[in-house]
Amino acid sequence: MRSDRTAVVIGASMGGLLAARALTDTHARVLVVDRDDLPVAAADRRGVPQGRQLHVLLARGRHALEELFPGLTQELADLTVPLVDLHGRVHWYNDGYLMAKRPSALIAAGMSRPLLEHAVRARVAALPGVEFATTTEALGLLTGPDRRQVTGVRLRHRDGTERAVAADLVVDACGRASRSPLWLEELGYPVPAEERVRVDVTYVTRVYQHEPHHLDGMLGLLTNAVPGNPRAGIVAVQQDGRIAVAFSGVLGEQPPTEDEEMLAFAQSLAAPQVAEIVKSAQPLTDAVSMRYPASVRRRYERLRRFPDGYLVVADALCSFNPIYGQGMTVAALEALLLRRLLATGAPDLSRRFFRGSARLIDGPWAIAVGTDLRFPGVDGPRSAKVRFVNAYVHRLHAAATADPALGAAFLRVLNLVDPPTALLRPGTVLRVLRGWRRGGQRARSAGRGRSGSASATA
Ligand SMILES: Cc1cc2nc3c(=O)[nH]c(=O)nc-3n(C[C@H](O)[C@H](O)[C@H](O)COP(=O)(O)OP(=O)(O)OC[C@H]3O[C@@H](n4cnc5c(N)ncnc54)[C@H](O)[C@@H]3O)c2cc1C
């Protein structure tokens, strides 16, 4: 299947690396370009500032990565990355309700973002025909005289030298700051409509030395933000005996970065285990803060005109509120889609890719935006369906305190294994109604659940 074709991928973060992997099946040469000087080891870098924040790889994402790079999970485990049963070994405090645990096949890998990127980059670099152009910025697109086909890219090295590189296919994986809309406009193409949902999230991550008694011996914890208490916490055991604690605040709520305030923030969460870590564990890093203003989805699939030989992937296509941990998983699913489309050799690659990825994005986008709309401060249409689903999922969380089958159903949807509609299967609805009456009421009278209504207090 490999031809004499050349592809250029702009951006060597997760989206670009995964697209490059897909392209190597059909392209003899794949040049991956990045502004950064890519580190030889697993290390933070400027072009991926979010790399210093806790990243969760959803179970579906781990599967997709394994499809693209067979043996990757084991390779990570050999680097001391814990493989975590997401239902059996994680405390889930959803709306204040502690989910009943049970062993599951939903397995995540606990590692820092630079380690994952490094492992994937090493795999891609070892593929035949792959080359990296580092400290090199893409300046714009090259086209034929009629501008119907992208024929390459203009690049500028950090030393100031510019060059043109010809390519049969160019892929924009530049992240949410992608300049594709601008580049397309310059070429006389329409720009994609953009959906923007302002969430104004601030993240703070700090890494500590892990001790076996942390989290009562579990390997992760999540407690979500709810209207009335816009604070959330995620804790994950990672490689090399680390434990990462991430705080987030929505709609302007800013988690602190100083010890004492961090402890107070931890104490305000529904999960008591977080404060113990912040209070007594040995910090291995400073607390690092990052703001994320809005989820952004660019509707390339709706454009009537788009040049051949060009694609936009991953965060450049859709950037999700990071609280739901979806970005890398969706990037991996897009890479699998790209690989399938290239293998068929069908014409009209961009149209097929954008339509297929829109279908991939619909589910996670509905989860992220639908859940964010619980907060009255988030702008967007609150359809009857959105309001119903949010009220229903709140009841599901209450019932899941005593019914692990409901926790399992929820986690399969959250991990993008099942579509959101799976939560509305008749058997599940019945369990929710029964459980909400029994366990949910017990939990409410014990003062645990925080409702999704604006009147709930912290
Ligand atoms: C705070 C935060 C937490 C997150 N947590 C999670 C999580 O838990 N789980 C998850 O799955 N996802 C998470 N994400 C999202 C995840 O980081 C991204 O989805 C993932 O990195 C894929 O993004 P990308 O490769 O498209 O773009 P990016 O990661 O933004 O990378 C873009 C790359 O393009 C390069 N570049 C940009 N412009 C140019 C140019 N003109 N020329 C050359 N190179 C260029 C940059 O140097 C960079 O390497 C989080 C994001 C944030 C902000």
Side-chain angles (χ1 to χ4, degrees):
M1 252 325 260
R2 290 178 91 221
S3 65
D4 198 26
R5 287 181 291 176
T6 297
V8 172
V9 179
I10 315 169
S13 176
M14 288 302 287
L17 293 171
L18 299 174
R21 163 65 194 92
L23 290 161
T24 52
D25 285 354
T26 45
H27 288 70
R29 283 177 304 279
V30 179
L31 179 68
V32 188
V33 177
D34 205 285
R35 282 199 291 235
D36 273 1
D37 194 3
L38 300 174
V40 255
D44 298 321
R45 61 188 182 88
R46 204 166 153 224
V48 184
Q50 77 270 28
R52 302 177 78 186
Q53 301 299 329
L54 191 155
H55 270 57
V56 173
L57 178 62
L58 301 179
R60 181 74 185 90
R62 193 186 58 78
H63 274 284
L65 286 185
E66 191 63 35
E67 246 183 274
L68 292 163
F69 307 102
L72 183 69
T73 305
Q74 188 54 49
E75 189 183 317
L76 292 167
D78 293 344
L79 294 171
T80 73
V81 166
L83 301 181
V84 182
D85 174 345
L86 286 167
H87 197 179
R89 302 295 309 277
V90 174
H91 294 300
W92 290 89
Y93 290 86
N94 293 310
D95 295 4
Y97 295 113
L98 178 59
M99 181 189 282
K101 295 180 182 55
R102 135 176 140 181
S104 80
L106 292 172
I107 306 298
M111 73 223 126
S112 66
R113 165 58 206 260
L115 179 64
L116 178 61
E117 188 178 306
H118 177 255
V120 168
R121 190 165 61 239
R123 286 291 193 109
V124 172
L127 293 169
V130 173
E131 254 181 72
F132 283 84
T134 59
T135 58
T136 299
E137 182 177 7
L139 300 176
L141 304 174
L142 304 170
T143 59
D146 61 5
R147 297 187 164 181
R148 285 216 189 130
Q149 165 94 30
V150 169
T151 55
V153 274
R154 273 190 306 119
L155 302 178
R156 181 172 58 207
H157 191 267
R158 195 176 282 168
D159 67 11
T161 50
E162 290 191 18
R163 64 177 165 136
V165 174
D168 302 279
L169 181 60
V170 175
V171 178
D172 171 8
C174 288
R176 52 187 282 128
S178 152
R179 276 182 274 167
S180 279
L182 187 76
W183 291 343
L184 287 169
E185 198 173 26
E186 281 170 4
L187 293 173
Y189 284 92
V191 298
E194 194 175 273
E195 287 171 26
R196 193 170 267 270
V197 181
R198 194 186 70 84
V199 283
D200 201 0
V201 177
T202 303
Y203 249 71
V204 168
T205 296
R206 189 170 203 185
V207 179
Y208 298 85
Q209 183 73 48
H210 176 235
E211 292 170 29
H213 63 88
H214 287 156
L215 305 178
D216 318 316
M218 295 294 109
L219 298 173
L221 177 149
L222 185 136
T223 172
N224 66 342
V226 290
N229 185 7
R231 298 175 165 193
I234 309 179
V235 183
V237 178
Q238 299 184 330
Q239 77 274 8
D240 298 330
R242 305 156 33 119
I243 187 163
V245 174
F247 293 143
S248 61
V250 288
L251 295 169
E253 172 75 20
Q254 303 221 354
T257 53
E258 298 300 324
D259 288 335
E260 257 176 53
E261 289 91 344
M262 284 183 75
L263 181 57
F265 190 97
Q267 284 164 339
S268 73
L269 299 173
Q273 300 89 341
V274 188
E276 190 221 335
I277 299 170
V278 174
K279 193 171 179 180
S280 59
Q282 171 73 37
L284 300 178
T285 64
D286 287 338
V288 179
S289 168
M290 180 172 181
R291 270 191 71 193
Y292 179 92
S295 300
V296 177
R297 182 173 184 183
R298 300 191 176 106
R299 295 295 201 154
Y300 284 96
E301 77 280 9
R302 293 185 181 162
L303 290 177
R304 273 183 293 120
R305 285 194 312 120
F306 192 84
D308 289 335
Y310 193 50
L311 292 178
V312 181
V313 301
D315 280 22
L317 198 53
C318 185
S319 162
F320 303 88
N321 179 349
I323 244 147
Y324 305 99
Q326 299 166 326
M328 299 189 298
T329 294
V330 172
L333 295 175
E334 287 171 14
L336 287 172
L337 167 71
L338 177 59
R339 186 164 79 160
R340 276 197 307 277
L341 292 175
L342 289 169
T344 67
D348 240 356
L349 178 67
S350 55
R351 193 175 54 85
R352 286 167 196 269
F353 177 78
F354 288 134
R355 285 195 181 165
S357 45
R359 281 193 292 274
L360 282 178
I361 290 167
D362 280 343
W365 182 256
I367 293 173
V369 172
T371 312
D372 286 340
L373 284 170
R374 297 205 309 172
F375 293 89
V378 172
D379 290 334
R382 286 167 177 77
S383 62
K385 185 176 154 202
V386 165
R387 280 182 278 127
F388 165 76
V389 169
N390 281 335
Y392 171 76
V393 171
H394 177 72
R395 284 162 173 71
L396 182 149
H397 291 325
T401 55
D403 184 351
L406 290 177
F410 174 75
L411 290 178
R412 287 178 65 80
V413 170
L414 195 70
N415 278 276
L416 307 183
V417 174
D418 284 343
T421 47
L423 293 181
L424 297 172
R425 286 179 188 142
T428 306
V429 173
L430 212 62
R431 295 182 93 106
V432 169
L433 293 177
R434 273 198 218 123
W436 167 248
R437 267 186 235 120
R438 290 188 210 132
Q441 267 166 8
R442 264 201 312 277
R444 278 195 308 285
S445 55
R448 286 217 298 275
R450 290 199 176 117
S451 89
S453 79
S455 59
T457 51

